[in-house]
Amino acid sequence: MGLSRLAALHGVATSYSPSPDVTVSVPDDTVIAVLAALGVDAGTPADVRKCLAAAESRSRLLPPTVVVWAGEPLPPALAGLPPGSTVTVEPEPSDLPGHPAGRPPAPLSMRARAAAPAEPVASGEPAPEAVPAPEAAPAPGATPAWWIPPPHGVHRIHVRTPDNRRATATLVAAPPRLPQPPEGTHGFLVQLYSLLSARSWGMGDLGDLADLAAWAGRSVGSGFVQVNPLHAAVPGKPTDPSPYRPSSRRFPDPVHLHVESIPEYGHVRDRAALDDLRQDAAALSEAVLNKGALIDRDAVWELKRQALELVAQVPLTPGRRADYCDFLAEQGQALEDHALWCALAEVHGPDWHTWPEALRAPRSPGTARARSELLDRVDFHCRLAWLTAGQLAAAQRAAEDAGMGVGIVHDLAVGVHPAGADTWSQQEAFAHGMSVGAPPDAFNARGQDWGLPPWRPDVLAATGYAAYRGLLRGLLAHAGALRIDHVMGLFRLWWVPEGRPPTDGTYVAYDAEAMLAVLVLEAHRAGTSVVGEDLGTVAPGVREALARRGVLGTSVLWFERDWEGDGRPLAPEKWRRDCLATATTHDLPSTAARLTGDHVTLRHRLGLLTRSLEEELTADLTDTAEWLALLARLRMLPEGDGDEEAAVRAVHRFLRRTPARMTGVWLPDTVGDRRPQNLPGTWDQYPNWRLPIADPEGHPVTLEEITASPRLHGLMEVLRPRKPRTAPPGERRP
């Protein structure tokens, strides 16, 4: 009983419900291990009693981080302050863009009042200043009259009660809701590496992204292009190709640079060396496009690294130098730490746990010496981050110039690699010895372990969510919108102790109010929308809480059924409005593969089926037939038409009929690609994250061929923009 109480005080679940009528108890040793990762020793009953007594005896006047939403009632922590308390809000200059340097904004001082007289002050205490009480107490849930709303931002709040208790906390003052995308917009979903053009160096790059956005906005009226995470990867031999297990989520990977677009490229003196590199890059692309080779990220990076070393030798012009210096000042310590990790990884390998002891902490004396010794390499990696940020900005400008109402939708992975730059530079913020995953469910009885160390919720709160704020600010700087992978992680994450199966994990809660407030604040500042990937197991109330703040959900056609009724496909008018509606994702079969059953035979060849091939094909055919029957009843699919292309168009015609704000088209669907980009549950058995976009026969196609495809243009005909409507206040227009 004591362990359960202690766990509850720290947000650690001792049971969970995989389905409404089932409750599973979490093993005690799992709870003890998770508490240990949070700095709580519960190894013995005596330890539990000691920690429980200490936790229950602590009385905080304020939590470490307090959230206030503009125009909404104050949280209990502030509304319930003793009458006569002094409240001072000290705005942080760094969170007020455009504030003159050296002139911090004046603090907001206020006095908590109540209808009844304040209680007498203890003898010897200074009496508070007399403040007239309001004529009547505020209505329940109303904002008290004494409260002066601070500007949107992250501030410090100081409280002193009449009995001289004091508290200081971070105050997040957020607008009530996110900006919304234009209603009825459509766009493409693509894994950038898979999108090779005639000029690519063996994989898709930011030049290709800008070109796709410019074409899609102008030629087919698209409002956005959504890409995979472009986070910095952990270098290795081979590098982990998954974009969802990066070294750092804060900074992008320079492997995505289009080298020829860098202004200094044209002034490199050793043109022969550049020409040799370009020929090698052309050979890489030729192998992928015409010889059946897989995308080789390591080979691409080796060529680009050599080219970028030559480019870095070109002096920057005064204007470019000033821009670079501004970038360094804006990014500050976070960029310096990231670049230093990259430089150290070149010398000591990509896993900082194996580095010399003196270098394993970013603030150690040994690391400080290494920082000086590797100054040139640190500057090189800082410059790569600057160049990549510049091309990210150029891609978004290209999208906006093409008339896109949203632009580039970037993707935020759920976590980072345990050996990467983020875990090295922010060690105190991560729960070491823990991994994020998913509990057992109807689709995976063994659960999942994603190999990603989670953030500690207690450290996030104590630091005012500084790491989270910096992460969002960097990602949103050049985005039209942000997709958040496994958005349920803002509320809770499944922690798996190292060395144990995913079934032995448990949920750990995060302060969802604070996580959402920071998200809404940063997205509001950037003028961006947010799409949450809310597929799979979703706790009750999560979707409602996200919708209230304007976070769009994700609705995939094949999963949208009347689960509370007859289980049949959900009619288009019954779909939710605030979502991105799609036919598939990077983790699911393409639409052509779904319609033909190719995805079942693929999984059979790889030994991934839990039933016989016949049983799986029968179940899959039944599922697909129900959807096709609905499409036929709605006159979206001509009766008796077995044409695959017609069926793909009908699926997207259906998506367009729903009230969804955004409709996403998986770019490989436009040319009939049957291969998934990622096949969950596989590692070496399938070339995850290494396939170029291909036609129905598996022949790779270039960006130029995709945009000229009659099949694509036929599909896009069914996605013509809906009739414009008057946008409500606060909604962005196309």
Side-chain angles (χ1 to χ4, degrees):
M1 191 66 177
L3 181 62
S4 296
R5 292 210 316 274
L6 184 63
L9 288 172
H10 291 86
V12 179
T14 54
S15 66
Y16 67 97
S17 298
S19 59
D21 56 344
V22 176
T23 299
V24 178
S25 295
V26 175
D28 284 353
D29 55 352
T30 294
V31 176
I32 292 170
V34 170
L35 285 171
L38 292 170
V40 180
D41 183 3
T44 68
D47 293 330
V48 171
R49 289 192 295 271
K50 178 181 177 181
C51 291
L52 188 59
E56 291 179 336
S57 66
R58 286 194 293 267
S59 176
R60 294 187 64 99
L61 187 59
L62 292 177
T65 297
V66 181
V67 171
V68 293
W69 300 95
E72 297 186 12
L74 291 184
L78 294 179
L81 288 173
S85 297
T86 300
V87 180
T88 303
V89 175
E90 181 184 352
E92 291 186 358
S94 64
D95 262 28
L96 294 175
H99 188 82
R103 296 178 56 194
L108 303 173
S109 296
M110 56 203 90
R111 183 69 61 86
R113 298 181 290 180
E119 295 181 4
V121 180
S123 176
E125 299 276 351
E129 299 176 12
V131 179
E135 296 181 1
T143 299
W146 58 265
W147 175 252
I148 302 174
H152 296 158
V154 179
H155 317 300
R156 297 296 288 171
I157 184 169
H158 309 277
V159 171
R160 180 171 63 85
T161 65
D163 59 359
N164 212 34
R165 288 186 297 150
R166 299 171 184 268
T168 296
T170 299
L171 178 70
V172 180
R177 191 170 166 83
L178 285 159
Q180 296 296 289
E183 189 169 318
T185 188
H186 69 78
F188 292 110
L189 320 177
V190 62
Q191 299 282 292
L192 181 57
Y193 58 83
S194 71
L195 182 68
L196 281 74
S197 69
R199 65 181 185 176
S200 300
W201 285 34
M203 61 182 279
D205 58 40
L206 290 170
D208 298 323
L209 176 60
D211 204 40
L212 173 65
W215 169 83
R218 289 183 166 89
S219 298
V220 293
S222 294
F224 66 91
V225 175
Q226 177 183 301
V227 294
N228 56 284
L230 304 182
H231 309 318
V234 177
K237 297 288 184 182
T239 298
D240 186 343
S242 172
Y244 291 92
R245 204 163 180 250
S247 168
S248 172
R249 297 187 294 174
R250 177 64 181 81
F251 295 100
D253 197 311
V255 76
H256 300 111
L257 281 168
H258 180 243
V259 179
E260 292 95 325
S261 293
I262 299 171
E264 290 72 38
Y265 177 87
H267 301 280
V268 171
R269 291 186 176 182
D270 194 345
R271 306 308 299 181
L274 276 185
D275 288 342
D276 288 344
L277 291 172
R278 291 185 63 180
Q279 288 180 10
D280 291 343
L284 276 181
S285 290
E286 171 69 14
V288 172
L289 293 172
N290 296 312
K291 297 180 180 179
L294 298 174
I295 293 171
D296 188 340
R297 183 191 182 103
D298 292 334
V300 172
W301 172 237
E302 179 57 28
L303 294 178
K304 287 192 176 182
R305 183 194 60 76
Q306 293 180 49
L308 291 166
E309 298 276 8
L310 294 172
V311 169
Q313 296 173 15
V314 178
L316 298 174
T317 65
R320 293 274 288 165
R321 168 63 61 180
D323 185 64
Y324 179 43
C325 290
D326 283 350
F327 179 80
L328 293 176
E330 290 167 2
Q331 303 304 318
Q333 188 70 53
L335 174 59
E336 188 175 336
D337 286 345
H338 174 73
L340 178 58
W341 182 91
C342 293
L344 289 169
E346 292 176 336
V347 178
H348 302 289
D351 186 349
W352 62 267
H353 299 90
T354 65
W355 292 355
E357 187 72 31
L359 301 177
R360 295 180 192 173
R363 304 290 171 259
S364 71
T367 300
R369 287 192 297 272
R371 197 181 300 263
S372 298
E373 295 165 358
L374 297 171
L375 195 59
D376 287 345
R377 297 309 297 169
V378 172
D379 180 70
F380 175 69
H381 290 290
C382 284
R383 186 178 294 202
L384 296 188
W386 170 60
L387 293 173
T388 311
Q391 292 196 4
L392 287 169
Q396 177 62 14
R397 284 196 302 272
E400 293 172 345
D401 291 346
M404 285 190 167
V406 176
I408 308 302
V409 182
H410 286 285
D411 198 350
L412 172 60
V414 72
V416 293
H417 196 287
D422 281 3
T423 57
W424 177 75
S425 62
Q426 302 170 10
Q427 293 178 39
E428 69 287 345
F430 287 92
H432 300 283
M434 294 289 140
S435 177
V436 175
D441 57 27
F443 300 99
N444 193 328
R446 290 175 289 189
Q448 301 176 53
D449 183 343
W450 301 331
L452 309 169
W455 265 336
R456 285 181 53 166
D458 56 331
V459 174
L460 286 177
T463 56
Y465 295 83
Y468 178 49
R469 288 155 48 199
L471 166 62
L472 290 174
R473 197 167 296 184
L475 281 171
L476 294 169
H478 309 300
L482 179 67
R483 174 191 182 269
I484 300 181
D485 191 43
H486 193 70
V487 72
M488 296 81 76
L490 300 181
F491 296 76
R492 65 179 187 179
L493 283 172
W494 184 258
W495 288 22
V496 181
E498 185 177 354
R500 302 187 189 183
T503 50
D504 284 355
T506 190
Y507 280 114
V508 175
Y510 291 75
D511 185 343
E513 193 80 350
M515 298 288 278
L516 281 172
V518 172
L519 174 64
V520 171
L521 173 64
E522 294 299 340
H524 189 270
R525 285 172 163 172
T528 58
S529 307
V530 176
V531 177
E533 185 270 298
D534 57 351
L535 305 174
T537 302
V538 184
V542 167
R543 287 195 174 105
E544 292 77 7
L546 293 169
R548 182 184 178 197
R549 298 304 171 194
V551 179
L552 304 184
T554 301
S555 294
V556 178
L557 181 131
W558 310 102
F559 302 154
E560 291 297 311
R561 289 175 171 268
D562 183 8
W563 298 114
E564 296 181 359
D566 57 14
R568 293 187 179 278
L570 201 62
E573 66 274 9
K574 293 185 178 180
W575 282 43
R576 54 181 168 170
R577 175 171 173 263
D578 294 327
C579 74
L580 166 64
T582 72
T584 190
T585 73
H586 58 266
D587 284 332
L588 296 171
S590 69
T591 305
R594 175 79 69 170
L595 291 168
T596 59
D598 283 5
H599 68 110
V600 177
T601 55
L602 171 62
R603 293 173 62 230
H604 171 67
R605 289 198 304 271
L606 298 176
L608 300 177
L609 299 184
T610 57
R611 297 183 292 181
S612 70
L613 176 59
E614 292 72 19
E615 289 176 301
E616 290 282 353
L617 283 173
T618 298
D620 187 70
L621 178 61
T622 300
D623 182 89
T624 303
E626 288 185 348
W627 277 103
L628 293 177
L630 174 59
L631 297 177
R633 287 197 302 272
L634 295 174
R635 300 182 183 278
M636 296 180 182
L637 181 66
E639 186 174 350
D641 193 337
D643 180 70
E644 176 195 304
E645 287 190 46
V648 172
R649 289 195 295 271
V651 164
H652 289 83
R653 190 176 289 113
F654 177 94
L655 293 176
R656 198 63 168 159
R657 179 82 64 87
T658 72
R661 277 187 171 275
M662 301 173 72
T663 303
V665 180
W666 179 235
L667 190 61
D669 273 350
T670 66
V671 290
D673 197 345
R674 283 169 160 71
R675 306 177 302 178
Q677 283 293 315
N678 177 51
L679 190 59
T682 63
W683 181 250
D684 294 331
Q685 309 99 307
Y686 188 79
N688 295 317
W689 317 113
R690 289 172 286 171
L691 292 173
I693 297 175
D695 65 16
E697 286 72 41
H699 299 142
V701 290
T702 64
L703 170 60
E704 292 83 1
E705 292 168 331
I706 293 170
T707 57
S709 166
R711 179 166 179 156
L712 177 145
H713 287 277
L715 175 58
M716 298 312 293
E717 280 295 313
V718 308
L719 293 169
R720 288 184 181 278
R722 299 171 185 158
K723 184 178 179 180
R725 66 177 186 84
T726 302
E731 181 174 301
R732 292 153 56 196
R733 294 178 178 272

